[in-house]
Amino acid sequence: MNLSYEWTIWDRTANFRTAFIYLLPSIILFSTFVFYPMFKTIYLSFFLTDQQGNEALFVGLDNYINLLQSETFLKSIKATILFVLYTVPTTIFISLFLALLANEKLKGVGFFRTIYSSTMSISVAASSVVWLFLFHPSVGVFNRILSVFGIKEIQWLLDPEWALLSVSISTIWLNLGFSFLILLGGLQNIDEHLYESAKLDGASYFYQLRRITIPMLSPTLFFIITISLINAFQTFGQIDILTRGGPSEATNLIVYSIYQDAFIHYQFGTASAQSVILFIFIFIATIFQFKLGEKKVHYQ
């Protein structure tokens, strides 16, 4: 009787065991590279650490309190929020515009699709070096164009009022390729019969755009906005190459501030606390995006 009961339990868990075996590689990878670092970071955020990153003194919430009272960290928060506001809406708008153009059935449009998506094939480091030359105050292209119109040269990366905007421009250009390709794919999946019916009813291009294209593209737009939002909070490469957080901490985004505290000043406890705060920011922004954005998404 007892053996029969054990066999029943074993049999009932067959699906669970099969699913677990299939999921085991992912569980191991996520546990090693995501969950363990995440919990270790939260743990270290309550300590002062030595130069090797080992716990030296338990300080509780002091790292968080000191950060929230630090003018430097508050500047990082402001710079991060401004950077997200500069880059995400602009990238989405330009990508959508280019995708709408490239979706038209015109001769040679394949060439423009390749050009528009080409930024995907360029690394952050290589593109940042190119932008470094473009923004150069004396030999850069932008100041030469301004000089043609008699406008005084701009210290793109050296002026605190222009530095964040300059880095944002390079980031927008860098992110255009990915957003463009995803949106173009979404546009090409819209049923052509909807447009044919609209044309028969005499609908204008902008009416079709507002009533057919945008609603049918809304799941793709929702995906792109969410991904772009998360990536913007995690931007690091172009900051490191173009400005190194300067001038006057104008481009010292939270991610770069974490890097400086951890690997330059060896304050792993403070860096961990900043990482936790950044995680909370991204989590809240994502929840906010899902709460507001998903209501307007139209699924077929």
Side-chain angles (χ1 to χ4, degrees):
M1 186 67 181
N2 188 32
L3 287 175
S4 175
Y5 174 77
E6 289 180 355
W7 180 87
T8 302
I9 293 296
W10 178 260
D11 185 56
R12 287 179 178 177
T13 58
N15 290 336
F16 172 78
R17 283 181 281 106
T18 304
F20 182 77
I21 290 171
Y22 278 110
L23 290 173
L24 187 58
S26 298
I27 291 173
I28 293 173
L29 286 175
F30 275 99
S31 299
T32 305
F33 296 107
V34 177
F35 297 125
Y36 172 73
M38 184 177 73
F39 288 117
K40 183 71 174 181
T41 300
I42 295 172
Y43 174 73
L44 284 178
S45 69
F46 299 113
F47 287 87
L48 292 180
T49 59
D50 58 22
Q51 290 195 349
Q52 284 72 42
N54 300 316
E55 308 90 325
L57 178 66
F58 179 77
V59 294
L61 295 174
D62 282 0
N63 284 332
Y64 293 96
I65 294 171
N66 292 335
L67 279 173
L68 295 176
Q69 293 175 343
S70 165
E71 187 178 346
T72 299
F73 185 66
L74 295 179
K75 280 185 178 179
S76 294
I77 293 177
K78 180 183 176 183
T80 304
I81 293 172
L82 286 175
F83 180 78
V84 171
L85 292 176
Y86 288 163
T87 56
V88 175
T90 311
T91 302
I92 301 299
F93 179 78
I94 296 176
S95 301
L96 180 60
F97 177 72
L98 294 177
L100 288 170
L101 287 179
N103 194 45
E104 296 295 324
K105 295 176 180 176
L106 302 173
K107 188 176 181 181
V109 74
F111 172 76
F112 292 100
R113 289 176 182 175
T114 304
I115 294 296
Y116 295 155
S117 59
S118 61
T119 59
M120 280 188 66
S121 61
I122 304 174
S123 70
V124 174
S127 66
S128 297
V129 170
V130 173
W131 281 100
L132 201 59
F133 283 103
L134 295 175
F135 286 130
H136 195 280
S138 56
V139 299
V141 172
F142 295 132
N143 275 346
R144 287 184 176 273
I145 294 173
L146 292 179
S147 66
V148 172
F149 296 99
I151 301 174
K152 187 180 178 182
E153 67 180 27
I154 295 173
Q155 301 291 328
W156 295 97
L157 300 175
L158 302 176
D159 187 337
E161 293 186 1
W162 284 96
L164 187 62
L165 186 61
S166 304
V167 175
S168 300
I169 291 171
S170 68
T171 304
I172 290 166
W173 179 84
L174 193 62
N175 294 338
L176 275 181
F178 174 76
S179 302
F180 164 77
L181 271 185
I182 299 295
L183 290 173
L184 181 62
L187 287 172
Q188 292 185 340
N189 281 330
I190 298 175
D191 192 348
E192 286 291 330
H193 292 96
L194 295 174
Y195 293 109
E196 292 172 3
S197 300
K199 287 176 183 174
L200 288 176
D201 292 336
S204 66
Y205 174 81
F206 289 104
Y207 185 86
Q208 294 176 45
L209 181 67
R210 187 163 55 90
R211 292 294 187 181
I212 299 175
T213 305
I214 298 300
M216 299 301 289
L217 194 63
S218 56
T220 309
L221 280 170
F222 180 72
F223 168 76
I224 283 294
I225 292 171
T226 304
I227 294 297
S228 300
L229 199 63
I230 294 172
N231 288 340
F233 275 110
Q234 298 176 334
T235 299
F236 174 80
Q238 49 270 56
I239 297 293
D240 188 43
I241 295 173
L242 292 175
T243 61
R244 294 185 179 275
S248 303
E249 300 176 340
T251 61
N252 190 29
L253 306 187
I254 295 179
V255 169
Y256 198 75
S257 180
I258 293 169
Y259 163 75
Q260 286 185 315
D261 272 357
F263 301 107
I264 296 177
H265 304 135
Y266 300 108
Q267 296 177 352
F268 292 94
T270 308
S272 298
Q274 291 185 68
S275 301
V276 173
I277 292 173
L278 178 60
F279 169 76
I280 293 171
F281 272 143
I282 295 175
F283 183 73
I284 291 173
T286 306
I287 294 293
F288 190 70
Q289 163 70 7
F290 269 82
K291 288 290 183 185
L292 288 185
E294 200 170 28
K295 292 178 182 176
K296 298 181 180 179
V297 174
H298 174 78
Y299 293 103
Q300 296 184 41

